[in-house]
Amino acid sequence: MNKFYILQSLREKDRKTGKEIYDVLKDKCDMFFKEYRTRQELMDILELVKVDIQTTDKKPFVHFDCHGNEDGIGVVKADWTEELITWKEIGDLFREIYLASTKKSIICFSSCKGFNTIKVVPEFKVCPFDYVAGSFEEIGFDDSFEAFKEFYEQIISGIDIKPAAYHIHNKYVKMKFICFSSNVLFELGAKSYLEKKTSKEELEKHKQITLKALGSVANLNPLQKAFLEYAYSEQGQKDYIEKWRKIFFS
């Protein structure tokens, strides 16, 4: 069984698609709706979600209907000004939920570029998600409403999340709907890390930064020197990824 939490923060003239999804589906499943207008209100709602999740055996789907960009998701305040909640902050909030409940959420972002959530893949921290869904594109309200409504209808009817996501991806082509498991998210995060930080030039640069912080190589004993060479080698970086993997899935 699943429970759906629809959280909405939209501009004055926006179509209120989160509330519309709630109104259409609330009689078909266990569904909660709340609008937030400040960062603190969102934190308070997620605290409520954390308590709720601990007292039910249902799988949590948390749906954000909001604006967003490569850095995070937007909060539209009561005076219609806006502030940003970063992907890191979102990840940290859901990590608290997971550590308290031992339940990993399915997070859905009905926001522009909602799939920059690759930034919620932290180094050496446990992953609080089973799946993350969203779009690579700047999506319209009509597509957002229809796609997520149908996605949830399929889940409610008993269809597994993977074929349901595949169906939505193929039907709403312009939206480029994607739903990645925690396994895929980790591989994407690890690949991004390796591409950015493990060229010979990058490894040497980071080794020199470390040496500068330590003073000089003359300050190191033989064991420290050997570890430094290993840590900034290709094998050392691969081992780093494997240690990261164990923590990520703990």
Side-chain angles (χ1 to χ4, degrees), residues 10 13 27 64 84 111 149 154 180 182 195 214 218:
L10 295 170
K13 295 182 179 179
D27 295 329
F64 288 88
L84 192 76
S111 62
K149 177 179 74 70
Q154 295 216 339
F180 284 162
S182 56
E195 287 175 348
L214 293 171

Side-chain angles (χ1 to χ4, degrees), residues 60-106:
F61 280 71
V62 183
H63 173 102
F64 288 88
D65 220 297
C66 58
H67 292 274
N69 60 30
E70 292 183 356
D71 298 316
I73 63 172
V75 177
V76 180
K77 297 190 285 188
D79 61 1
W80 306 113
T81 59
E82 299 178 30
E83 63 179 322
L84 192 76
I85 298 179
T86 66
W87 296 123
K88 179 184 181 302
E89 289 176 289
I90 292 293
D92 289 344
L93 288 168
F94 278 94
R95 194 167 296 104
E96 289 181 19
I97 291 174
Y98 168 61
L99 293 174
S101 68
T102 70
K103 292 178 184 174
K104 294 191 175 185
S105 304
I106 291 90

Side-chain angles (χ1 to χ4, degrees), residues 86-200:
T86 66
W87 296 123
K88 179 184 181 302
E89 289 176 289
I90 292 293
D92 289 344
L93 288 168
F94 278 94
R95 194 167 296 104
E96 289 181 19
I97 291 174
Y98 168 61
L99 293 174
S101 68
T102 70
K103 292 178 184 174
K104 294 191 175 185
S105 304
I106 291 90
I107 314 297
C108 300
F109 291 97
S110 180
S111 62
C112 290
K113 299 183 179 179
F115 229 83
N116 281 291
T117 44
I118 188 63
K119 294 185 178 181
V120 301
V121 181
E123 289 182 36
F124 280 78
K125 289 184 179 179
V126 64
C127 175
F129 314 116
D130 261 350
Y131 290 88
V132 178
S135 173
F136 288 113
E137 301 299 312
E138 293 187 4
I139 57 177
F141 288 104
D142 292 347
D143 283 342
S144 170
F145 171 74
E146 294 296 337
F148 277 104
K149 177 179 74 70
E150 188 167 345
F151 180 53
Y152 297 144
E153 285 174 335
Q154 295 216 339
I155 300 296
I156 292 165
S157 72
I159 296 173
D160 186 72
I161 190 169
K162 289 182 180 179
Y166 185 72
H167 169 77
I168 300 302
H169 175 78
N170 288 332
K171 183 171 180 179
Y172 298 90
V173 177
K174 290 190 298 182
M175 187 177 174
K176 295 187 179 177
F177 182 89
I178 298 292
C179 183
F180 284 162
S181 68
S182 56
N183 288 306
V184 173
L185 285 171
F186 177 80
E187 295 305 329
L188 289 171
K191 182 175 182 290
S192 175
Y193 172 86
L194 290 170
E195 287 175 348
K196 290 178 181 177
K197 298 187 178 181
T198 58
S199 67
K200 288 183 179 179

Side-chain angles (χ1 to χ4, degrees), residues 5-10 14-27 31-37 63-66 110 141 144-145 148-149 152:
Y5 300 86
I6 311 296
L7 312 182
Q8 177 179 280
S9 189
L10 295 170
D14 288 342
R15 179 179 174 182
K16 305 303 186 287
T17 43
K19 183 61 163 58
E20 289 184 35
I21 289 173
Y22 171 76
D23 287 338
V24 170
L25 299 179
K26 64 183 179 181
D27 295 329
M31 185 167 278
F32 166 94
F33 172 82
K34 192 72 175 177
E35 194 167 42
Y36 59 95
R37 289 296 184 195
H63 173 102
F64 288 88
D65 220 297
C66 58
S110 180
F141 288 104
S144 170
F145 171 74
F148 277 104
K149 177 179 74 70
Y152 297 144

